[in-house]
Amino acid sequence: MDLAIIGSGYVGLVTGACFADVGHNVICVDNDVQKIKLLQSGDVPIYEPGLEEVIHRNVSAHRLRFTGSIREGVDDSQIIFIAVPTPQQPDGDVDLSFLARDIAAVLSDYRVIVDKSTVPVKTGEKVAESIKRYNRHGANFDVVSNPEFLREGCAVADLMHPDRIVIGAQSERAIDLMKKVYEPFMAPILVTDISSAELIKHCANSFLALKISYINAVSAICEASGADVEKVADGIGMDHRIGRDFLNAGIGYGGSCFPKDIAAFITISERLGVPFNLLKEVQRINTAQKERFLKTIRETLWVLREKRIAVWGLTFKPDTDDVRSSVAIELVADLLREGAHVVAYDPKGIQKARAVKTVAAAEFAPSALEAVSNAEALIIATEWNEFANVDLAVMKEKMRTPIVFDGRNLLDPETMRTLGFHYHSIGRASAKPG
């Protein structure tokens, strides 16, 4: 099939590349001229495991190309996927009206317009109204909601092997075309109305965030009682009704999806007259978790001013270069505001972190071990595998004082105690040298 993807960010690039990989002809559209030039020259502007290989393979096979022209995308495609970023407005809504107008201006024949971005319920109706209003040719079209369920760091695998495919549509013609798109993926397809499809994504992300905040609230109880949050999570997770995923205690969730989606869902529920107060508590716990971690750091180091503190991790999760709404970035900014000298390292996120104004005063190290050189403490803020496999004996020798604050429970407390570290984690007993 001939498909267009409008938006060449994390969702758009992965979607376009994977659709091409199963045999569709895909044109990715973006209004960022520099990004399109990079892609056309063979460079990939984001880090996502496996993505670069998939893009190069399908560009070489002439199934994937890039353009800055919406007209080219619309004219050359049967189905147009909208995968643009959806930042919230002050009222919690998102504005796709300009994009809808751009599509409407060049729409001259039947097309399926698919909303792939995460949007508030009823957005599909607004997109349809805008296209109908501004389409000079009176062309027939259908609007479909087809939410993505991609996790940064494993987005290619998620798209190629999805748990489910949700298609929200009103016409059989659009549903049949969408089923044809997804036929190669061999995954369960759920067909719903548009509003239900839009709600599914917000509900799913909010529930996952709830699990994270739940185990983080439990971690505070574990610390107070001397219990081990990881053992508690294992016991909870063995119940098949609950499952172990997203029950990892830490310093809170971040990224481009959870904070935005939960805030949007709270606003949506209030607008509908059904306040979702449980999600407000999820937000509160998430914020409190970082503050509780910072309190431990302050109480241990006493004064942060002029102390040399190493931070491992800047991205919001491992296996990505995305630092948007990263708790690690927030921690670095908090430390800098209190006068600490922060030396940060991340395997993939340094370049994007340098562009964040709140952490511009930090020093960025070329390796994990160089970051801890002469440091009075280390903070682990992102759970990269590289950090779990570091030579701890060498690390201890390099540090001025062997104090570690593990915000992701990446290391073993008994090993750290045996090696002579002062080790603090989340929801587990603090370890002092034996």
Side-chain angles (χ1 to χ4, degrees), residues 266-293:
I266 289 171
T267 302
I268 290 165
S269 66
E270 289 177 343
R271 187 180 298 161
L272 293 170
V274 191
F276 208 152
N277 293 325
L278 177 61
L279 290 187
K280 292 181 181 179
E281 185 63 11
V282 167
Q283 284 182 318
R284 188 200 67 75
I285 292 170
N286 196 57
T287 300
Q289 193 71 358
K290 186 196 73 171
E291 292 303 319
R292 199 162 65 86
F293 187 63

PDB file of all heavy atoms in Angstrom, residues 266-293:
ATOM      1  N   ILE A 266      -6.377  14.058  33.091  1.00  0.00           N
ATOM      2  CA  ILE A 266      -6.998  14.766  34.223  1.00  0.00           C
ATOM      3  C   ILE A 266      -7.866  15.907  33.705  1.00  0.00           C
ATOM      4  O   ILE A 266      -9.017  16.096  34.138  1.00  0.00           O
ATOM      5  CB  ILE A 266      -5.926  15.285  35.198  1.00  0.00           C
ATOM      6  CG1 ILE A 266      -5.277  14.112  35.949  1.00  0.00           C
ATOM      7  CG2 ILE A 266      -6.523  16.290  36.190  1.00  0.00           C
ATOM      8  CD1 ILE A 266      -4.063  14.496  36.762  1.00  0.00           C
ATOM      9  N   THR A 267      -7.315  16.661  32.753  1.00  0.00           N
ATOM     10  CA  THR A 267      -8.067  17.782  32.178  1.00  0.00           C
ATOM     11  C   THR A 267      -9.289  17.299  31.426  1.00  0.00           C
ATOM     12  O   THR A 267     -10.379  17.872  31.523  1.00  0.00           O
ATOM     13  CB  THR A 267      -7.154  18.596  31.239  1.00  0.00           C
ATOM     14  OG1 THR A 267      -6.023  19.073  31.959  1.00  0.00           O
ATOM     15  CG2 THR A 267      -7.897  19.778  30.642  1.00  0.00           C
ATOM     16  N   ILE A 268      -9.113  16.224  30.647  1.00  0.00           N
ATOM     17  CA  ILE A 268     -10.240  15.663  29.888  1.00  0.00           C
ATOM     18  C   ILE A 268     -11.363  15.246  30.830  1.00  0.00           C
ATOM     19  O   ILE A 268     -12.541  15.555  30.604  1.00  0.00           O
ATOM     20  CB  ILE A 268      -9.769  14.447  29.061  1.00  0.00           C
ATOM     21  CG1 ILE A 268      -8.852  14.888  27.920  1.00  0.00           C
ATOM     22  CG2 ILE A 268     -10.960  13.671  28.501  1.00  0.00           C
ATOM     23  CD1 ILE A 268      -8.066  13.740  27.303  1.00  0.00           C
ATOM     24  N   SER A 269     -11.017  14.552  31.910  1.00  0.00           N
ATOM     25  CA  SER A 269     -12.041  14.068  32.833  1.00  0.00           C
ATOM     26  C   SER A 269     -12.770  15.226  33.507  1.00  0.00           C
ATOM     27  O   SER A 269     -13.990  15.188  33.690  1.00  0.00           O
ATOM     28  CB  SER A 269     -11.419  13.147  33.885  1.00  0.00           C
ATOM     29  OG  SER A 269     -10.525  13.851  34.725  1.00  0.00           O
ATOM     30  N   GLU A 270     -12.018  16.279  33.853  1.00  0.00           N
ATOM     31  CA  GLU A 270     -12.654  17.438  34.485  1.00  0.00           C
ATOM     32  C   GLU A 270     -13.583  18.147  33.514  1.00  0.00           C
ATOM     33  O   GLU A 270     -14.671  18.598  33.881  1.00  0.00           O
ATOM     34  CB  GLU A 270     -11.577  18.391  35.003  1.00  0.00           C
ATOM     35  CG  GLU A 270     -10.837  17.839  36.219  1.00  0.00           C
ATOM     36  CD  GLU A 270      -9.721  18.740  36.705  1.00  0.00           C
ATOM     37  OE1 GLU A 270      -9.306  19.635  35.931  1.00  0.00           O
ATOM     38  OE2 GLU A 270      -9.255  18.532  37.849  1.00  0.00           O
ATOM     39  N   ARG A 271     -13.162  18.217  32.251  1.00  0.00           N
ATOM     40  CA  ARG A 271     -13.993  18.864  31.232  1.00  0.00           C
ATOM     41  C   ARG A 271     -15.294  18.081  31.024  1.00  0.00           C
ATOM     42  O   ARG A 271     -16.342  18.657  30.730  1.00  0.00           O
ATOM     43  CB  ARG A 271     -13.201  18.946  29.925  1.00  0.00           C
ATOM     44  CG  ARG A 271     -13.904  19.750  28.841  1.00  0.00           C
ATOM     45  CD  ARG A 271     -13.055  19.771  27.582  1.00  0.00           C
ATOM     46  NE  ARG A 271     -11.779  20.413  27.816  1.00  0.00           N
ATOM     47  CZ  ARG A 271     -10.712  20.264  27.038  1.00  0.00           C
ATOM     48  NH1 ARG A 271     -10.771  19.465  25.997  1.00  0.00           N
ATOM     49  NH2 ARG A 271      -9.600  20.908  27.307  1.00  0.00           N
ATOM     50  N   LEU A 272     -15.212  16.762  31.191  1.00  0.00           N
ATOM     51  CA  LEU A 272     -16.402  15.927  31.045  1.00  0.00           C
ATOM     52  C   LEU A 272     -17.251  15.879  32.309  1.00  0.00           C
ATOM     53  O   LEU A 272     -18.289  15.223  32.350  1.00  0.00           O
ATOM     54  CB  LEU A 272     -15.992  14.497  30.657  1.00  0.00           C
ATOM     55  CG  LEU A 272     -15.356  14.338  29.266  1.00  0.00           C
ATOM     56  CD1 LEU A 272     -14.784  12.939  29.097  1.00  0.00           C
ATOM     57  CD2 LEU A 272     -16.375  14.635  28.174  1.00  0.00           C
ATOM     58  N   GLY A 273     -16.787  16.560  33.359  1.00  0.00           N
ATOM     59  CA  GLY A 273     -17.544  16.608  34.610  1.00  0.00           C
ATOM     60  C   GLY A 273     -17.345  15.397  35.494  1.00  0.00           C
ATOM     61  O   GLY A 273     -18.149  15.140  36.397  1.00  0.00           O
ATOM     62  N   VAL A 274     -16.254  14.638  35.250  1.00  0.00           N
ATOM     63  CA  VAL A 274     -15.973  13.446  36.047  1.00  0.00           C
ATOM     64  C   VAL A 274     -14.514  13.516  36.511  1.00  0.00           C
ATOM     65  O   VAL A 274     -13.646  12.829  35.962  1.00  0.00           O
ATOM     66  CB  VAL A 274     -16.205  12.146  35.234  1.00  0.00           C
ATOM     67  CG1 VAL A 274     -16.173  10.932  36.155  1.00  0.00           C
ATOM     68  CG2 VAL A 274     -17.517  12.209  34.465  1.00  0.00           C
ATOM     69  N   PRO A 275     -14.205  14.328  37.510  1.00  0.00           N
ATOM     70  CA  PRO A 275     -12.808  14.506  37.941  1.00  0.00           C
ATOM     71  C   PRO A 275     -12.133  13.185  38.308  1.00  0.00           C
ATOM     72  O   PRO A 275     -12.706  12.365  39.030  1.00  0.00           O
ATOM     73  CB  PRO A 275     -12.932  15.421  39.165  1.00  0.00           C
ATOM     74  CG  PRO A 275     -14.227  16.134  38.979  1.00  0.00           C
ATOM     75  CD  PRO A 275     -15.139  15.154  38.303  1.00  0.00           C
ATOM     76  N   PHE A 276     -10.923  12.980  37.794  1.00  0.00           N
ATOM     77  CA  PHE A 276     -10.177  11.749  38.011  1.00  0.00           C
ATOM     78  C   PHE A 276      -9.137  12.023  39.106  1.00  0.00           C
ATOM     79  O   PHE A 276      -7.940  12.143  38.850  1.00  0.00           O
ATOM     80  CB  PHE A 276      -9.499  11.328  36.706  1.00  0.00           C
ATOM     81  CG  PHE A 276      -9.268   9.841  36.587  1.00  0.00           C
ATOM     82  CD1 PHE A 276      -9.215   9.242  35.328  1.00  0.00           C
ATOM     83  CD2 PHE A 276      -9.100   9.037  37.700  1.00  0.00           C
ATOM     84  CE1 PHE A 276      -9.005   7.881  35.192  1.00  0.00           C
ATOM     85  CE2 PHE A 276      -8.886   7.675  37.580  1.00  0.00           C
ATOM     86  CZ  PHE A 276      -8.838   7.093  36.325  1.00  0.00           C
ATOM     87  N   ASN A 277      -9.602  12.091  40.364  1.00  0.00           N
ATOM     88  CA  ASN A 277      -8.723  12.482  41.467  1.00  0.00           C
ATOM     89  C   ASN A 277      -7.621  11.453  41.735  1.00  0.00           C
ATOM     90  O   ASN A 277      -6.562  11.803  42.261  1.00  0.00           O
ATOM     91  CB  ASN A 277      -9.550  12.718  42.730  1.00  0.00           C
ATOM     92  CG  ASN A 277     -10.465  13.923  42.594  1.00  0.00           C
ATOM     93  OD1 ASN A 277     -10.105  14.907  41.942  1.00  0.00           O
ATOM     94  ND2 ASN A 277     -11.643  13.870  43.177  1.00  0.00           N
ATOM     95  N   LEU A 278      -7.859  10.201  41.394  1.00  0.00           N
ATOM     96  CA  LEU A 278      -6.833   9.179  41.583  1.00  0.00           C
ATOM     97  C   LEU A 278      -5.566   9.533  40.807  1.00  0.00           C
ATOM     98  O   LEU A 278      -4.449   9.340  41.304  1.00  0.00           O
ATOM     99  CB  LEU A 278      -7.366   7.815  41.124  1.00  0.00           C
ATOM    100  CG  LEU A 278      -6.396   6.634  41.191  1.00  0.00           C
ATOM    101  CD1 LEU A 278      -5.941   6.395  42.633  1.00  0.00           C
ATOM    102  CD2 LEU A 278      -7.037   5.377  40.620  1.00  0.00           C
ATOM    103  N   LEU A 279      -5.731  10.076  39.589  1.00  0.00           N
ATOM    104  CA  LEU A 279      -4.564  10.434  38.788  1.00  0.00           C
ATOM    105  C   LEU A 279      -3.833  11.642  39.360  1.00  0.00           C
ATOM    106  O   LEU A 279      -2.621  11.778  39.183  1.00  0.00           O
ATOM    107  CB  LEU A 279      -4.972  10.697  37.343  1.00  0.00           C
ATOM    108  CG  LEU A 279      -5.406   9.481  36.523  1.00  0.00           C
ATOM    109  CD1 LEU A 279      -5.610   9.852  35.070  1.00  0.00           C
ATOM    110  CD2 LEU A 279      -4.384   8.352  36.641  1.00  0.00           C
ATOM    111  N   LYS A 280      -4.549  12.513  40.057  1.00  0.00           N
ATOM    112  CA  LYS A 280      -3.867  13.631  40.732  1.00  0.00           C
ATOM    113  C   LYS A 280      -2.943  13.097  41.820  1.00  0.00           C
ATOM    114  O   LYS A 280      -1.845  13.625  42.044  1.00  0.00           O
ATOM    115  CB  LYS A 280      -4.891  14.595  41.327  1.00  0.00           C
ATOM    116  CG  LYS A 280      -5.703  15.351  40.284  1.00  0.00           C
ATOM    117  CD  LYS A 280      -6.687  16.307  40.931  1.00  0.00           C
ATOM    118  CE  LYS A 280      -7.514  17.042  39.883  1.00  0.00           C
ATOM    119  NZ  LYS A 280      -8.489  17.968  40.504  1.00  0.00           N
ATOM    120  N   GLU A 281      -3.353  12.038  42.493  1.00  0.00           N
ATOM    121  CA  GLU A 281      -2.509  11.425  43.509  1.00  0.00           C
ATOM    122  C   GLU A 281      -1.309  10.727  42.870  1.00  0.00           C
ATOM    123  O   GLU A 281      -0.209  10.741  43.424  1.00  0.00           O
ATOM    124  CB  GLU A 281      -3.316  10.426  44.337  1.00  0.00           C
ATOM    125  CG  GLU A 281      -2.565   9.810  45.499  1.00  0.00           C
ATOM    126  CD  GLU A 281      -2.132  10.812  46.562  1.00  0.00           C
ATOM    127  OE1 GLU A 281      -2.585  11.978  46.519  1.00  0.00           O
ATOM    128  OE2 GLU A 281      -1.342  10.433  47.438  1.00  0.00           O
ATOM    129  N   VAL A 282      -1.506  10.142  41.699  1.00  0.00           N
ATOM    130  CA  VAL A 282      -0.390   9.543  40.953  1.00  0.00           C
ATOM    131  C   VAL A 282       0.658  10.614  40.654  1.00  0.00           C
ATOM    132  O   VAL A 282       1.863  10.393  40.840  1.00  0.00           O
ATOM    133  CB  VAL A 282      -0.902   8.899  39.639  1.00  0.00           C
ATOM    134  CG1 VAL A 282       0.264   8.550  38.714  1.00  0.00           C
ATOM    135  CG2 VAL A 282      -1.725   7.659  39.940  1.00  0.00           C
ATOM    136  N   GLN A 283       0.211  11.775  40.209  1.00  0.00           N
ATOM    137  CA  GLN A 283       1.129  12.888  39.956  1.00  0.00           C
ATOM    138  C   GLN A 283       1.843  13.316  41.228  1.00  0.00           C
ATOM    139  O   GLN A 283       3.058  13.553  41.222  1.00  0.00           O
ATOM    140  CB  GLN A 283       0.360  14.092  39.394  1.00  0.00           C
ATOM    141  CG  GLN A 283      -0.049  13.986  37.941  1.00  0.00           C
ATOM    142  CD  GLN A 283      -0.743  15.255  37.490  1.00  0.00           C
ATOM    143  OE1 GLN A 283      -1.568  15.831  38.221  1.00  0.00           O
ATOM    144  NE2 GLN A 283      -0.442  15.700  36.292  1.00  0.00           N
ATOM    145  N   ARG A 284       1.090  13.428  42.317  1.00  0.00           N
ATOM    146  CA  ARG A 284       1.680  13.895  43.581  1.00  0.00           C
ATOM    147  C   ARG A 284       2.758  12.929  44.066  1.00  0.00           C
ATOM    148  O   ARG A 284       3.845  13.345  44.486  1.00  0.00           O
ATOM    149  CB  ARG A 284       0.595  14.049  44.647  1.00  0.00           C
ATOM    150  CG  ARG A 284       1.098  14.714  45.929  1.00  0.00           C
ATOM    151  CD  ARG A 284       0.185  14.423  47.108  1.00  0.00           C
ATOM    152  NE  ARG A 284       0.211  13.023  47.491  1.00  0.00           N
ATOM    153  CZ  ARG A 284       1.218  12.433  48.154  1.00  0.00           C
ATOM    154  NH1 ARG A 284       2.294  13.140  48.508  1.00  0.00           N
ATOM    155  NH2 ARG A 284       1.155  11.142  48.457  1.00  0.00           N
ATOM    156  N   ILE A 285       2.475  11.632  44.007  1.00  0.00           N
ATOM    157  CA  ILE A 285       3.449  10.631  44.449  1.00  0.00           C
ATOM    158  C   ILE A 285       4.701  10.701  43.582  1.00  0.00           C
ATOM    159  O   ILE A 285       5.827  10.604  44.081  1.00  0.00           O
ATOM    160  CB  ILE A 285       2.837   9.220  44.403  1.00  0.00           C
ATOM    161  CG1 ILE A 285       1.750   9.081  45.469  1.00  0.00           C
ATOM    162  CG2 ILE A 285       3.906   8.141  44.603  1.00  0.00           C
ATOM    163  CD1 ILE A 285       0.921   7.816  45.351  1.00  0.00           C
ATOM    164  N   ASN A 286       4.512  10.888  42.279  1.00  0.00           N
ATOM    165  CA  ASN A 286       5.658  10.937  41.369  1.00  0.00           C
ATOM    166  C   ASN A 286       6.581  12.110  41.703  1.00  0.00           C
ATOM    167  O   ASN A 286       7.805  11.964  41.733  1.00  0.00           O
ATOM    168  CB  ASN A 286       5.177  11.049  39.921  1.00  0.00           C
ATOM    169  CG  ASN A 286       6.265  10.728  38.936  1.00  0.00           C
ATOM    170  OD1 ASN A 286       6.854   9.646  38.960  1.00  0.00           O
ATOM    171  ND2 ASN A 286       6.579  11.662  38.053  1.00  0.00           N
ATOM    172  N   THR A 287       5.988  13.262  41.970  1.00  0.00           N
ATOM    173  CA  THR A 287       6.784  14.436  42.349  1.00  0.00           C
ATOM    174  C   THR A 287       7.436  14.223  43.703  1.00  0.00           C
ATOM    175  O   THR A 287       8.622  14.546  43.902  1.00  0.00           O
ATOM    176  CB  THR A 287       5.889  15.691  42.392  1.00  0.00           C
ATOM    177  OG1 THR A 287       5.317  15.894  41.092  1.00  0.00           O
ATOM    178  CG2 THR A 287       6.690  16.913  42.786  1.00  0.00           C
ATOM    179  N   ALA A 288       6.691  13.654  44.645  1.00  0.00           N
ATOM    180  CA  ALA A 288       7.207  13.437  45.995  1.00  0.00           C
ATOM    181  C   ALA A 288       8.379  12.449  46.013  1.00  0.00           C
ATOM    182  O   ALA A 288       9.279  12.558  46.856  1.00  0.00           O
ATOM    183  CB  ALA A 288       6.094  12.947  46.909  1.00  0.00           C
ATOM    184  N   GLN A 289       8.373  11.496  45.082  1.00  0.00           N
ATOM    185  CA  GLN A 289       9.433  10.487  45.067  1.00  0.00           C
ATOM    186  C   GLN A 289      10.794  11.118  44.788  1.00  0.00           C
ATOM    187  O   GLN A 289      11.797  10.786  45.427  1.00  0.00           O
ATOM    188  CB  GLN A 289       9.115   9.416  44.022  1.00  0.00           C
ATOM    189  CG  GLN A 289       9.963   8.169  44.117  1.00  0.00           C
ATOM    190  CD  GLN A 289       9.630   7.310  45.340  1.00  0.00           C
ATOM    191  OE1 GLN A 289       8.785   7.666  46.158  1.00  0.00           O
ATOM    192  NE2 GLN A 289      10.309   6.188  45.460  1.00  0.00           N
ATOM    193  N   LYS A 290      10.831  12.046  43.835  1.00  0.00           N
ATOM    194  CA  LYS A 290      12.096  12.739  43.545  1.00  0.00           C
ATOM    195  C   LYS A 290      12.515  13.590  44.740  1.00  0.00           C
ATOM    196  O   LYS A 290      13.701  13.632  45.105  1.00  0.00           O
ATOM    197  CB  LYS A 290      11.944  13.616  42.299  1.00  0.00           C
ATOM    198  CG  LYS A 290      13.251  14.259  41.842  1.00  0.00           C
ATOM    199  CD  LYS A 290      13.032  15.405  40.879  1.00  0.00           C
ATOM    200  CE  LYS A 290      12.480  16.627  41.582  1.00  0.00           C
ATOM    201  NZ  LYS A 290      12.441  17.844  40.751  1.00  0.00           N
ATOM    202  N   GLU A 291      11.556  14.265  45.365  1.00  0.00           N
ATOM    203  CA  GLU A 291      11.878  15.107  46.513  1.00  0.00           C
ATOM    204  C   GLU A 291      12.384  14.277  47.686  1.00  0.00           C
ATOM    205  O   GLU A 291      13.278  14.690  48.420  1.00  0.00           O
ATOM    206  CB  GLU A 291      10.634  15.916  46.928  1.00  0.00           C
ATOM    207  CG  GLU A 291      10.208  16.963  45.912  1.00  0.00           C
ATOM    208  CD  GLU A 291      11.325  17.948  45.596  1.00  0.00           C
ATOM    209  OE1 GLU A 291      12.044  18.363  46.527  1.00  0.00           O
ATOM    210  OE2 GLU A 291      11.494  18.273  44.399  1.00  0.00           O
ATOM    211  N   ARG A 292      11.826  13.083  47.860  1.00  0.00           N
ATOM    212  CA  ARG A 292      12.276  12.200  48.937  1.00  0.00           C
ATOM    213  C   ARG A 292      13.718  11.744  48.693  1.00  0.00           C
ATOM    214  O   ARG A 292      14.533  11.637  49.625  1.00  0.00           O
ATOM    215  CB  ARG A 292      11.331  10.992  49.026  1.00  0.00           C
ATOM    216  CG  ARG A 292      11.384  10.231  50.323  1.00  0.00           C
ATOM    217  CD  ARG A 292      10.144   9.360  50.479  1.00  0.00           C
ATOM    218  NE  ARG A 292      10.085   8.318  49.477  1.00  0.00           N
ATOM    219  CZ  ARG A 292      10.686   7.125  49.591  1.00  0.00           C
ATOM    220  NH1 ARG A 292      11.406   6.866  50.679  1.00  0.00           N
ATOM    221  NH2 ARG A 292      10.573   6.223  48.658  1.00  0.00           N
ATOM    222  N   PHE A 293      14.038  11.489  47.434  1.00  0.00           N
ATOM    223  CA  PHE A 293      15.391  11.092  47.047  1.00  0.00           C
ATOM    224  C   PHE A 293      16.370  12.233  47.298  1.00  0.00           C
ATOM    225  O   PHE A 293      17.460  12.033  47.852  1.00  0.00           O
ATOM    226  CB  PHE A 293      15.379  10.686  45.570  1.00  0.00           C
ATOM    227  CG  PHE A 293      16.664  10.087  45.066  1.00  0.00           C
ATOM    228  CD1 PHE A 293      17.155   8.901  45.584  1.00  0.00           C
ATOM    229  CD2 PHE A 293      17.373  10.699  44.049  1.00  0.00           C
ATOM    230  CE1 PHE A 293      18.326   8.328  45.101  1.00  0.00           C
ATOM    231  CE2 PHE A 293      18.539  10.143  43.558  1.00  0.00           C
ATOM    232  CZ  PHE A 293      19.017   8.954  44.085  1.00  0.00           C
TER     233      PHE A 293
END
